[in-house]
Amino acid sequence: MDGPPRDRVTDPSPSPSLEARLRPLLDTAKGGPAVAVSAIRGGERTALARGGDTGTRFETGSVTKTFTALLLAELVARREVRYDDPVARYLPRGAAAPPITLLHLATHTSGLPRLPPGLLTGSARRAWFSNPYAGYSSAELLTAFSRAEPRHRPGTRVRYSNFGAGLLGHALARAAGGSEEDPDADYGALLTERVLTPLGLTDTDCDPDRPQAQGHWRGHPRPVWLIPGLPAAGALRSSARDLLTVLTALLDPASSPAPPPLRAALADVQRPRLALPRSANRLCLVWNLRPRDGRPLLHHSGGTRGFTAFVGFLPRSGTALAALTNTAPTLGAPFIQAAYGTLCELDAGAGPGG
C-alpha cells in the first residue's frame, strides 16, 4: 500500500468531537473482527477499539519502515553513521556491493528491486498468501545484495523496495556493534533500546511470539507474520495507544521526554529529502509528504497477509491519526483511504491553526 491516498473533500461546518469523527472509521474495516484507531487534535486525544482494546497488538507491515527511519536518524544524531555512508561499509567484509548509501535505502532511491532476487521461488511462492518471507534468511538477503545490479543509478529514481529497507536494518545493527551471527535479533534489540523504550512503548516490538490479534485474509484466519530476513521492512507489531504516543512525539519533538539524539531524530525524519516527479509531493526519510493547503501532511501505510495499518500527521496543526485492523489490505485499500480522509477531516476541524 505505497501510493498516496486521495484527498477527501471535507465539510467546513463546525467540527464534531474527536471521538465522533473517529467512530465511523471503526466500521470501514471489512473482513476482520478487530479494529483500533487513535488520534490527537490540538489538546484532545482519543483512542477507540472494537474486537479488542487500545493496547491490542496488530501487525503493522510497512509502517515498520518509519521506525527504521527513526533508528537511522538516531544513529546519525549520535554520529555513529552518516547518511552518505555506503551500506557496504556495514556489511560482511569482502562482499561486493553496488554504490548505495544509507540515505538511498531510506528514500527508496537505491535502484534495488521491490523484493530480493530469488525470493519468489519454492516455498515463498507456495506461501504467497500466508507467509512468503518466512523461509527467507538474512544470509540469503546479503547474498542477494552482493549480486544485485541496481535498476537505475542510485539516487536518481524512486523505486519502493522492501529489499532496501530490510538491508538498511541489517546495516544499522552492524553499525551499532551488532554481531554477524544473529543480525535479525540485533535489529529488534537495537530498535527497542534506541527508539521503543525511550518513547515508553510497551506494546511495540518485532516479537511474533507475544500475544496479538488474529489476522484475517478474505475472512479466513492467517498465521502470524514472519519476516526473519528483513525485519526492518515489516516485522513490527504495535497498538493504537503506542502509535498515538509516537505520533505525539513527532508532532512536537522538542517537547518529547526522549533523549536528545532521539528528539533530533524525531525532527530529522520529517525533513523533505527529494521531490517526486510531476507533483508537489516530497519524500522524507521513509515518510511520504503531501502538501495540504500549503502545509505538510506526512503519512505511511502498511499491510501483511492478515493486517492493515495507517499512520499520518500534520505537524503545523497538531493533528495525527493511527488506524489498525486485523484484515489484509483489499483492492483499492478502502480502510487506508478512509483513515487518510478522516485525518484530513480532523485537520480541517483543528481550528485557526489548522
Side-chain angles (χ1 to χ4, degrees), residues 43-94:
E44 190 180 3
R45 296 162 57 94
T46 297
L48 304 173
R50 186 189 68 206
D53 58 41
T54 59
T56 297
R57 284 160 48 89
F58 294 74
E59 295 167 5
T60 68
S62 287
V63 170
T64 304
K65 296 178 177 69
T66 66
F67 285 78
T68 302
L70 265 179
L71 184 58
L72 168 61
E74 199 269 355
L75 266 67
V76 169
R78 289 176 180 256
R79 299 185 179 181
E80 294 178 336
V81 303
R82 298 188 308 175
Y83 288 123
D84 60 357
D85 284 346
V87 65
R89 178 177 299 174
Y90 305 110
L91 299 180
R93 281 179 289 182

mmCIF file of all heavy atoms in Angstrom, residues 43-94:
data_model
loop_
_atom_site.group_PDB
_atom_site.id
_atom_site.type_symbol
_atom_site.label_atom_id
_atom_site.label_comp_id
_atom_site.label_asym_id
_atom_site.label_seq_id
_atom_site.Cartn_x
_atom_site.Cartn_y
_atom_site.Cartn_z
ATOM 1 N N GLY A 43 -5.270 19.745 21.772
ATOM 2 C CA GLY A 43 -5.036 19.137 23.072
ATOM 3 C C GLY A 43 -5.905 17.928 23.337
ATOM 4 O O GLY A 43 -5.823 17.335 24.419
ATOM 5 N N GLU A 44 -6.738 17.541 22.371
ATOM 6 C CA GLU A 44 -7.669 16.429 22.573
ATOM 7 C C GLU A 44 -7.066 15.136 22.039
ATOM 8 O O GLU A 44 -6.551 15.085 20.920
ATOM 9 C CB GLU A 44 -8.987 16.730 21.851
ATOM 10 C CG GLU A 44 -10.114 15.763 22.172
ATOM 11 C CD GLU A 44 -11.410 16.116 21.430
ATOM 12 O OE1 GLU A 44 -11.398 17.073 20.631
ATOM 13 O OE2 GLU A 44 -12.413 15.421 21.661
ATOM 14 N N ARG A 45 -7.153 14.068 22.834
ATOM 15 C CA ARG A 45 -6.626 12.756 22.450
ATOM 16 C C ARG A 45 -7.708 11.707 22.674
ATOM 17 O O ARG A 45 -8.395 11.723 23.690
ATOM 18 C CB ARG A 45 -5.401 12.387 23.294
ATOM 19 C CG ARG A 45 -4.213 13.286 23.123
ATOM 20 C CD ARG A 45 -3.231 13.137 24.273
ATOM 21 N NE ARG A 45 -2.780 11.760 24.441
ATOM 22 C CZ ARG A 45 -1.668 11.267 23.888
ATOM 23 N NH1 ARG A 45 -0.912 12.036 23.141
ATOM 24 N NH2 ARG A 45 -1.319 10.007 24.089
ATOM 25 N N THR A 46 -7.835 10.770 21.735
ATOM 26 C CA THR A 46 -8.826 9.717 21.858
ATOM 27 C C THR A 46 -8.296 8.443 21.209
ATOM 28 O O THR A 46 -7.610 8.508 20.189
ATOM 29 C CB THR A 46 -10.156 10.112 21.165
ATOM 30 O OG1 THR A 46 -10.709 11.239 21.819
ATOM 31 C CG2 THR A 46 -11.162 8.974 21.218
ATOM 32 N N ALA A 47 -8.623 7.307 21.796
ATOM 33 C CA ALA A 47 -8.338 6.003 21.196
ATOM 34 C C ALA A 47 -9.585 5.141 21.359
ATOM 35 O O ALA A 47 -10.192 5.108 22.434
ATOM 36 C CB ALA A 47 -7.138 5.350 21.858
ATOM 37 N N LEU A 48 -9.972 4.455 20.280
ATOM 38 C CA LEU A 48 -11.161 3.613 20.273
ATOM 39 C C LEU A 48 -10.797 2.239 19.715
ATOM 40 O O LEU A 48 -9.879 2.107 18.914
ATOM 41 C CB LEU A 48 -12.255 4.230 19.384
ATOM 42 C CG LEU A 48 -12.698 5.664 19.705
ATOM 43 C CD1 LEU A 48 -13.649 6.160 18.609
ATOM 44 C CD2 LEU A 48 -13.370 5.730 21.055
ATOM 45 N N ALA A 49 -11.541 1.233 20.124
ATOM 46 C CA ALA A 49 -11.278 -0.114 19.636
ATOM 47 C C ALA A 49 -12.567 -0.914 19.578
ATOM 48 O O ALA A 49 -13.510 -0.658 20.327
ATOM 49 C CB ALA A 49 -10.258 -0.818 20.524
ATOM 50 N N ARG A 50 -12.578 -1.898 18.697
ATOM 51 C CA ARG A 50 -13.665 -2.864 18.601
ATOM 52 C C ARG A 50 -13.039 -4.237 18.379
ATOM 53 O O ARG A 50 -12.119 -4.378 17.579
ATOM 54 C CB ARG A 50 -14.584 -2.521 17.422
ATOM 55 C CG ARG A 50 -15.835 -3.402 17.351
ATOM 56 C CD ARG A 50 -16.587 -3.152 16.052
ATOM 57 N NE ARG A 50 -15.830 -3.635 14.907
ATOM 58 C CZ ARG A 50 -15.944 -3.165 13.675
ATOM 59 N NH1 ARG A 50 -16.743 -2.143 13.421
ATOM 60 N NH2 ARG A 50 -15.217 -3.672 12.683
ATOM 61 N N GLY A 51 -13.512 -5.246 19.105
ATOM 62 C CA GLY A 51 -12.935 -6.573 18.969
ATOM 63 C C GLY A 51 -11.600 -6.712 19.674
ATOM 64 O O GLY A 51 -10.815 -7.599 19.357
ATOM 65 N N GLY A 52 -11.330 -5.850 20.606
ATOM 66 C CA GLY A 52 -10.081 -5.836 21.360
ATOM 67 C C GLY A 52 -10.061 -4.557 22.171
ATOM 68 O O GLY A 52 -11.116 -3.976 22.463
ATOM 69 N N ASP A 53 -8.883 -4.089 22.533
ATOM 70 C CA ASP A 53 -8.788 -2.805 23.219
ATOM 71 C C ASP A 53 -7.665 -1.985 22.606
ATOM 72 O O ASP A 53 -7.015 -2.417 21.648
ATOM 73 C CB ASP A 53 -8.595 -2.987 24.730
ATOM 74 C CG ASP A 53 -7.360 -3.793 25.077
ATOM 75 O OD1 ASP A 53 -6.300 -3.583 24.434
ATOM 76 O OD2 ASP A 53 -7.425 -4.637 25.992
ATOM 77 N N THR A 54 -7.438 -0.800 23.126
ATOM 78 C CA THR A 54 -6.462 0.099 22.510
ATOM 79 C C THR A 54 -5.024 -0.354 22.724
ATOM 80 O O THR A 54 -4.110 0.210 22.138
ATOM 81 C CB THR A 54 -6.632 1.534 23.046
ATOM 82 O OG1 THR A 54 -6.460 1.543 24.468
ATOM 83 C CG2 THR A 54 -8.021 2.062 22.705
ATOM 84 N N GLY A 55 -4.826 -1.388 23.565
ATOM 85 C CA GLY A 55 -3.499 -1.963 23.741
ATOM 86 C C GLY A 55 -3.293 -3.242 22.953
ATOM 87 O O GLY A 55 -2.223 -3.845 23.022
ATOM 88 N N THR A 56 -4.301 -3.677 22.200
ATOM 89 C CA THR A 56 -4.167 -4.882 21.370
ATOM 90 C C THR A 56 -3.092 -4.671 20.315
ATOM 91 O O THR A 56 -3.040 -3.626 19.663
ATOM 92 C CB THR A 56 -5.501 -5.218 20.686
ATOM 93 O OG1 THR A 56 -6.483 -5.506 21.691
ATOM 94 C CG2 THR A 56 -5.361 -6.429 19.776
ATOM 95 N N ARG A 57 -2.242 -5.674 20.147
ATOM 96 C CA ARG A 57 -1.148 -5.588 19.176
ATOM 97 C C ARG A 57 -1.605 -6.049 17.798
ATOM 98 O O ARG A 57 -2.247 -7.095 17.652
ATOM 99 C CB ARG A 57 0.031 -6.448 19.642
ATOM 100 C CG ARG A 57 0.828 -5.821 20.759
ATOM 101 C CD ARG A 57 1.653 -6.850 21.522
ATOM 102 N NE ARG A 57 2.429 -7.750 20.684
ATOM 103 C CZ ARG A 57 3.675 -7.507 20.255
ATOM 104 N NH1 ARG A 57 4.260 -6.359 20.566
ATOM 105 N NH2 ARG A 57 4.331 -8.402 19.534
ATOM 106 N N PHE A 58 -1.245 -5.266 16.798
ATOM 107 C CA PHE A 58 -1.526 -5.569 15.395
ATOM 108 C C PHE A 58 -0.212 -5.606 14.621
ATOM 109 O O PHE A 58 0.719 -4.846 14.934
ATOM 110 C CB PHE A 58 -2.413 -4.493 14.761
ATOM 111 C CG PHE A 58 -3.807 -4.392 15.302
ATOM 112 C CD1 PHE A 58 -4.056 -3.835 16.546
ATOM 113 C CD2 PHE A 58 -4.890 -4.835 14.548
ATOM 114 C CE1 PHE A 58 -5.346 -3.732 17.042
ATOM 115 C CE2 PHE A 58 -6.190 -4.728 15.034
ATOM 116 C CZ PHE A 58 -6.417 -4.177 16.289
ATOM 117 N N GLU A 59 -0.131 -6.437 13.612
ATOM 118 C CA GLU A 59 0.995 -6.356 12.688
ATOM 119 C C GLU A 59 0.866 -5.062 11.881
ATOM 120 O O GLU A 59 -0.223 -4.712 11.442
ATOM 121 C CB GLU A 59 0.991 -7.569 11.751
ATOM 122 C CG GLU A 59 1.235 -8.886 12.481
ATOM 123 C CD GLU A 59 0.939 -10.121 11.638
ATOM 124 O OE1 GLU A 59 0.625 -9.963 10.428
ATOM 125 O OE2 GLU A 59 1.003 -11.239 12.183
ATOM 126 N N THR A 60 1.973 -4.345 11.692
ATOM 127 C CA THR A 60 1.910 -3.050 11.008
ATOM 128 C C THR A 60 2.521 -3.072 9.612
ATOM 129 O O THR A 60 2.446 -2.076 8.889
ATOM 130 C CB THR A 60 2.621 -1.957 11.822
ATOM 131 O OG1 THR A 60 4.034 -2.206 11.839
ATOM 132 C CG2 THR A 60 2.086 -1.904 13.253
ATOM 133 N N GLY A 61 3.138 -4.183 9.205
ATOM 134 C CA GLY A 61 3.711 -4.238 7.864
ATOM 135 C C GLY A 61 4.706 -3.116 7.627
ATOM 136 O O GLY A 61 5.617 -2.878 8.426
ATOM 137 N N SER A 62 4.515 -2.385 6.537
ATOM 138 C CA SER A 62 5.496 -1.379 6.125
ATOM 139 C C SER A 62 5.530 -0.139 7.005
ATOM 140 O O SER A 62 6.431 0.697 6.842
ATOM 141 C CB SER A 62 5.244 -0.971 4.671
ATOM 142 O OG SER A 62 5.642 -2.008 3.800
ATOM 143 N N VAL A 63 4.602 0.012 7.941
ATOM 144 C CA VAL A 63 4.748 1.086 8.928
ATOM 145 C C VAL A 63 6.029 0.866 9.731
ATOM 146 O O VAL A 63 6.621 1.817 10.259
ATOM 147 C CB VAL A 63 3.505 1.160 9.838
ATOM 148 C CG1 VAL A 63 3.722 2.085 11.029
ATOM 149 C CG2 VAL A 63 2.298 1.649 9.025
ATOM 150 N N THR A 64 6.502 -0.376 9.790
ATOM 151 C CA THR A 64 7.796 -0.677 10.401
ATOM 152 C C THR A 64 8.886 0.236 9.861
ATOM 153 O O THR A 64 9.789 0.664 10.598
ATOM 154 C CB THR A 64 8.188 -2.146 10.125
ATOM 155 O OG1 THR A 64 7.159 -3.017 10.584
ATOM 156 C CG2 THR A 64 9.510 -2.503 10.786
ATOM 157 N N LYS A 65 8.827 0.530 8.571
ATOM 158 C CA LYS A 65 9.886 1.317 7.934
ATOM 159 C C LYS A 65 10.019 2.706 8.555
ATOM 160 O O LYS A 65 11.110 3.280 8.579
ATOM 161 C CB LYS A 65 9.624 1.434 6.432
ATOM 162 C CG LYS A 65 9.666 0.107 5.678
ATOM 163 C CD LYS A 65 9.361 0.313 4.211
ATOM 164 C CE LYS A 65 9.459 -0.988 3.410
ATOM 165 N NZ LYS A 65 8.383 -1.940 3.736
ATOM 166 N N THR A 66 8.923 3.275 9.063
ATOM 167 C CA THR A 66 9.019 4.593 9.692
ATOM 168 C C THR A 66 9.826 4.509 10.989
ATOM 169 O O THR A 66 10.504 5.468 11.367
ATOM 170 C CB THR A 66 7.634 5.187 9.968
ATOM 171 O OG1 THR A 66 6.936 4.407 10.951
ATOM 172 C CG2 THR A 66 6.798 5.249 8.691
ATOM 173 N N PHE A 67 9.768 3.378 11.670
ATOM 174 C CA PHE A 67 10.568 3.179 12.875
ATOM 175 C C PHE A 67 12.030 2.934 12.496
ATOM 176 O O PHE A 67 12.943 3.383 13.205
ATOM 177 C CB PHE A 67 10.023 2.002 13.682
ATOM 178 C CG PHE A 67 8.758 2.311 14.427
ATOM 179 C CD1 PHE A 67 7.525 2.339 13.774
ATOM 180 C CD2 PHE A 67 8.779 2.591 15.783
ATOM 181 C CE1 PHE A 67 6.355 2.640 14.452
ATOM 182 C CE2 PHE A 67 7.617 2.890 16.477
ATOM 183 C CZ PHE A 67 6.397 2.923 15.806
ATOM 184 N N THR A 68 12.251 2.234 11.388
ATOM 185 C CA THR A 68 13.617 2.047 10.902
ATOM 186 C C THR A 68 14.238 3.393 10.539
ATOM 187 O O THR A 68 15.426 3.635 10.797
ATOM 188 C CB THR A 68 13.621 1.107 9.694
ATOM 189 O OG1 THR A 68 13.037 -0.150 10.067
ATOM 190 C CG2 THR A 68 15.030 0.857 9.180
ATOM 191 N N ALA A 69 13.441 4.289 9.973
ATOM 192 C CA ALA A 69 13.930 5.632 9.661
ATOM 193 C C ALA A 69 14.326 6.376 10.933
ATOM 194 O O ALA A 69 15.354 7.068 10.973
ATOM 195 C CB ALA A 69 12.860 6.418 8.905
ATOM 196 N N LEU A 70 13.516 6.247 11.991
ATOM 197 C CA LEU A 70 13.860 6.864 13.274
ATOM 198 C C LEU A 70 15.178 6.306 13.814
ATOM 199 O O LEU A 70 16.013 7.047 14.352
ATOM 200 C CB LEU A 70 12.751 6.613 14.295
ATOM 201 C CG LEU A 70 11.678 7.673 14.488
ATOM 202 C CD1 LEU A 70 10.663 7.216 15.528
ATOM 203 C CD2 LEU A 70 12.281 9.014 14.882
ATOM 204 N N LEU A 71 15.350 5.010 13.664
ATOM 205 C CA LEU A 71 16.581 4.387 14.139
ATOM 206 C C LEU A 71 17.784 4.922 13.363
ATOM 207 O O LEU A 71 18.824 5.251 13.951
ATOM 208 C CB LEU A 71 16.481 2.875 13.999
ATOM 209 C CG LEU A 71 17.645 2.048 14.539
ATOM 210 C CD1 LEU A 71 17.877 2.310 16.021
ATOM 211 C CD2 LEU A 71 17.389 0.560 14.292
ATOM 212 N N LEU A 72 17.657 5.036 12.051
ATOM 213 C CA LEU A 72 18.729 5.604 11.238
ATOM 214 C C LEU A 72 19.053 7.024 11.686
ATOM 215 O O LEU A 72 20.229 7.371 11.906
ATOM 216 C CB LEU A 72 18.320 5.597 9.762
ATOM 217 C CG LEU A 72 19.204 6.421 8.812
ATOM 218 C CD1 LEU A 72 20.638 5.907 8.808
ATOM 219 C CD2 LEU A 72 18.611 6.414 7.402
ATOM 220 N N ALA A 73 18.035 7.868 11.832
ATOM 221 C CA ALA A 73 18.263 9.257 12.220
ATOM 222 C C ALA A 73 18.868 9.355 13.621
ATOM 223 O O ALA A 73 19.663 10.260 13.901
ATOM 224 C CB ALA A 73 16.951 10.040 12.151
ATOM 225 N N GLU A 74 18.507 8.412 14.496
ATOM 226 C CA GLU A 74 19.066 8.409 15.847
ATOM 227 C C GLU A 74 20.557 8.078 15.810
ATOM 228 O O GLU A 74 21.367 8.713 16.504
ATOM 229 C CB GLU A 74 18.300 7.399 16.713
ATOM 230 C CG GLU A 74 18.436 7.598 18.214
ATOM 231 C CD GLU A 74 19.588 6.837 18.829
ATOM 232 O OE1 GLU A 74 20.258 6.055 18.102
ATOM 233 O OE2 GLU A 74 19.830 7.012 20.031
ATOM 234 N N LEU A 75 20.936 7.112 14.983
ATOM 235 C CA LEU A 75 22.363 6.792 14.853
ATOM 236 C C LEU A 75 23.133 7.943 14.214
ATOM 237 O O LEU A 75 24.289 8.200 14.576
ATOM 238 C CB LEU A 75 22.545 5.512 14.032
ATOM 239 C CG LEU A 75 22.667 4.205 14.837
ATOM 240 C CD1 LEU A 75 21.355 3.867 15.540
ATOM 241 C CD2 LEU A 75 23.091 3.051 13.929
ATOM 242 N N VAL A 76 22.499 8.641 13.282
ATOM 243 C CA VAL A 76 23.136 9.819 12.684
ATOM 244 C C VAL A 76 23.334 10.899 13.748
ATOM 245 O O VAL A 76 24.391 11.535 13.826
ATOM 246 C CB VAL A 76 22.311 10.353 11.504
ATOM 247 C CG1 VAL A 76 22.823 11.722 11.054
ATOM 248 C CG2 VAL A 76 22.352 9.382 10.329
ATOM 249 N N ALA A 77 22.313 11.123 14.580
ATOM 250 C CA ALA A 77 22.422 12.133 15.632
ATOM 251 C C ALA A 77 23.544 11.806 16.607
ATOM 252 O O ALA A 77 24.182 12.708 17.159
ATOM 253 C CB ALA A 77 21.091 12.261 16.371
ATOM 254 N N ARG A 78 23.789 10.515 16.812
ATOM 255 C CA ARG A 78 24.888 10.099 17.695
ATOM 256 C C ARG A 78 26.242 10.076 16.968
ATOM 257 O O ARG A 78 27.266 9.737 17.564
ATOM 258 C CB ARG A 78 24.617 8.691 18.237
ATOM 259 C CG ARG A 78 23.491 8.585 19.255
ATOM 260 C CD ARG A 78 23.281 7.129 19.609
ATOM 261 N NE ARG A 78 22.220 6.923 20.579
ATOM 262 C CZ ARG A 78 22.428 6.653 21.862
ATOM 263 N NH1 ARG A 78 23.663 6.577 22.335
ATOM 264 N NH2 ARG A 78 21.408 6.454 22.667
ATOM 265 N N ARG A 79 26.229 10.350 15.680
ATOM 266 C CA ARG A 79 27.430 10.330 14.836
ATOM 267 C C ARG A 79 28.038 8.937 14.736
ATOM 268 O O ARG A 79 29.243 8.779 14.559
ATOM 269 C CB ARG A 79 28.467 11.339 15.335
ATOM 270 C CG ARG A 79 27.961 12.773 15.312
ATOM 271 C CD ARG A 79 29.029 13.766 15.688
ATOM 272 N NE ARG A 79 28.488 15.129 15.637
ATOM 273 C CZ ARG A 79 29.187 16.225 15.903
ATOM 274 N NH1 ARG A 79 30.473 16.124 16.244
ATOM 275 N NH2 ARG A 79 28.638 17.411 15.849
ATOM 276 N N GLU A 80 27.171 7.945 14.832
ATOM 277 C CA GLU A 80 27.623 6.568 14.635
ATOM 278 C C GLU A 80 27.624 6.190 13.164
ATOM 279 O O GLU A 80 28.351 5.280 12.750
ATOM 280 C CB GLU A 80 26.729 5.610 15.434
ATOM 281 C CG GLU A 80 26.858 5.794 16.942
ATOM 282 C CD GLU A 80 25.941 4.896 17.727
ATOM 283 O OE1 GLU A 80 24.903 4.465 17.187
ATOM 284 O OE2 GLU A 80 26.255 4.627 18.899
ATOM 285 N N VAL A 81 26.773 6.848 12.381
ATOM 286 C CA VAL A 81 26.751 6.689 10.924
ATOM 287 C C VAL A 81 26.488 8.061 10.306
ATOM 288 O O VAL A 81 26.100 9.005 10.999
ATOM 289 C CB VAL A 81 25.671 5.688 10.451
ATOM 290 C CG1 VAL A 81 25.858 4.320 11.094
ATOM 291 C CG2 VAL A 81 24.261 6.222 10.730
ATOM 292 N N ARG A 82 26.673 8.142 8.993
ATOM 293 C CA ARG A 82 26.285 9.321 8.227
ATOM 294 C C ARG A 82 25.352 8.871 7.114
ATOM 295 O O ARG A 82 25.435 7.736 6.638
ATOM 296 C CB ARG A 82 27.507 10.014 7.632
ATOM 297 C CG ARG A 82 28.490 10.536 8.667
ATOM 298 C CD ARG A 82 29.576 11.377 8.019
ATOM 299 N NE ARG A 82 30.216 10.663 6.915
ATOM 300 C CZ ARG A 82 31.124 11.207 6.112
ATOM 301 N NH1 ARG A 82 31.494 12.469 6.277
ATOM 302 N NH2 ARG A 82 31.677 10.489 5.152
ATOM 303 N N TYR A 83 24.490 9.773 6.674
ATOM 304 C CA TYR A 83 23.537 9.406 5.637
ATOM 305 C C TYR A 83 24.224 8.989 4.341
ATOM 306 O O TYR A 83 23.724 8.137 3.601
ATOM 307 C CB TYR A 83 22.572 10.567 5.358
ATOM 308 C CG TYR A 83 21.573 10.804 6.466
ATOM 309 C CD1 TYR A 83 21.482 12.047 7.083
ATOM 310 C CD2 TYR A 83 20.718 9.794 6.887
ATOM 311 C CE1 TYR A 83 20.569 12.277 8.106
ATOM 312 C CE2 TYR A 83 19.802 10.007 7.900
ATOM 313 C CZ TYR A 83 19.728 11.254 8.516
ATOM 314 O OH TYR A 83 18.824 11.480 9.518
ATOM 315 N N ASP A 84 25.365 9.597 4.053
ATOM 316 C CA ASP A 84 26.033 9.277 2.793
ATOM 317 C C ASP A 84 27.037 8.134 2.921
ATOM 318 O O ASP A 84 27.794 7.855 1.995
ATOM 319 C CB ASP A 84 26.716 10.517 2.207
ATOM 320 C CG ASP A 84 27.773 11.110 3.130
ATOM 321 O OD1 ASP A 84 27.941 10.603 4.260
ATOM 322 O OD2 ASP A 84 28.425 12.094 2.715
ATOM 323 N N ASP A 85 27.019 7.427 4.051
ATOM 324 C CA ASP A 85 27.863 6.240 4.178
ATOM 325 C C ASP A 85 27.405 5.163 3.199
ATOM 326 O O ASP A 85 26.194 4.897 3.080
ATOM 327 C CB ASP A 85 27.780 5.658 5.588
ATOM 328 C CG ASP A 85 28.567 6.443 6.611
ATOM 329 O OD1 ASP A 85 29.400 7.278 6.204
ATOM 330 O OD2 ASP A 85 28.347 6.219 7.823
ATOM 331 N N PRO A 86 28.344 4.497 2.516
ATOM 332 C CA PRO A 86 27.942 3.350 1.691
ATOM 333 C C PRO A 86 27.478 2.202 2.578
ATOM 334 O O PRO A 86 28.097 1.914 3.613
ATOM 335 C CB PRO A 86 29.224 2.994 0.937
ATOM 336 C CG PRO A 86 30.335 3.563 1.761
ATOM 337 C CD PRO A 86 29.782 4.779 2.447
ATOM 338 N N VAL A 87 26.386 1.572 2.192
ATOM 339 C CA VAL A 87 25.858 0.491 3.009
ATOM 340 C C VAL A 87 26.859 -0.646 3.112
ATOM 341 O O VAL A 87 26.916 -1.353 4.138
ATOM 342 C CB VAL A 87 24.504 0.001 2.447
ATOM 343 C CG1 VAL A 87 24.654 -0.620 1.077
ATOM 344 C CG2 VAL A 87 23.860 -0.998 3.406
ATOM 345 N N ALA A 88 27.687 -0.825 2.096
ATOM 346 C CA ALA A 88 28.664 -1.920 2.104
ATOM 347 C C ALA A 88 29.634 -1.802 3.275
ATOM 348 O O ALA A 88 30.203 -2.804 3.719
ATOM 349 C CB ALA A 88 29.440 -1.943 0.792
ATOM 350 N N ARG A 89 29.823 -0.586 3.814
ATOM 351 C CA ARG A 89 30.723 -0.392 4.954
ATOM 352 C C ARG A 89 30.260 -1.204 6.159
ATOM 353 O O ARG A 89 31.059 -1.584 7.020
ATOM 354 C CB ARG A 89 30.785 1.089 5.303
ATOM 355 C CG ARG A 89 31.656 1.424 6.505
ATOM 356 C CD ARG A 89 31.721 2.918 6.733
ATOM 357 N NE ARG A 89 32.294 3.614 5.594
ATOM 358 C CZ ARG A 89 32.366 4.933 5.471
ATOM 359 N NH1 ARG A 89 31.883 5.714 6.449
ATOM 360 N NH2 ARG A 89 32.900 5.502 4.415
ATOM 361 N N TYR A 90 28.965 -1.477 6.255
ATOM 362 C CA TYR A 90 28.408 -2.141 7.435
ATOM 363 C C TYR A 90 27.952 -3.567 7.148
ATOM 364 O O TYR A 90 27.207 -4.147 7.927
ATOM 365 C CB TYR A 90 27.247 -1.309 7.982
ATOM 366 C CG TYR A 90 27.677 0.113 8.274
ATOM 367 C CD1 TYR A 90 27.228 1.163 7.487
ATOM 368 C CD2 TYR A 90 28.575 0.383 9.310
ATOM 369 C CE1 TYR A 90 27.647 2.468 7.742
ATOM 370 C CE2 TYR A 90 29.003 1.674 9.559
ATOM 371 C CZ TYR A 90 28.534 2.711 8.768
ATOM 372 O OH TYR A 90 28.968 3.994 9.016
ATOM 373 N N LEU A 91 28.433 -4.121 6.038
ATOM 374 C CA LEU A 91 28.116 -5.499 5.695
ATOM 375 C C LEU A 91 29.367 -6.352 5.849
ATOM 376 O O LEU A 91 30.471 -5.813 6.028
ATOM 377 C CB LEU A 91 27.570 -5.556 4.270
ATOM 378 C CG LEU A 91 26.278 -4.765 4.052
ATOM 379 C CD1 LEU A 91 25.822 -4.892 2.606
ATOM 380 C CD2 LEU A 91 25.183 -5.218 4.996
ATOM 381 N N PRO A 92 29.241 -7.677 5.801
ATOM 382 C CA PRO A 92 30.424 -8.526 5.954
ATOM 383 C C PRO A 92 31.531 -8.131 4.990
ATOM 384 O O PRO A 92 31.283 -7.862 3.817
ATOM 385 C CB PRO A 92 29.882 -9.927 5.644
ATOM 386 C CG PRO A 92 28.442 -9.854 6.022
ATOM 387 C CD PRO A 92 28.005 -8.465 5.667
ATOM 388 N N ARG A 93 32.735 -8.093 5.488
ATOM 389 C CA ARG A 93 33.867 -7.683 4.669
ATOM 390 C C ARG A 93 34.075 -8.635 3.501
ATOM 391 O O ARG A 93 33.894 -9.836 3.622
ATOM 392 C CB ARG A 93 35.137 -7.624 5.518
ATOM 393 C CG ARG A 93 35.225 -6.372 6.354
ATOM 394 C CD ARG A 93 36.479 -6.359 7.193
ATOM 395 N NE ARG A 93 36.410 -7.344 8.277
ATOM 396 C CZ ARG A 93 37.361 -7.510 9.175
ATOM 397 N NH1 ARG A 93 38.463 -6.801 9.117
ATOM 398 N NH2 ARG A 93 37.215 -8.410 10.129
ATOM 399 N N GLY A 94 34.429 -8.052 2.378
ATOM 400 C CA GLY A 94 34.696 -8.856 1.196
ATOM 401 C C GLY A 94 33.493 -8.996 0.288
ATOM 402 O O GLY A 94 33.614 -9.487 -0.828
#
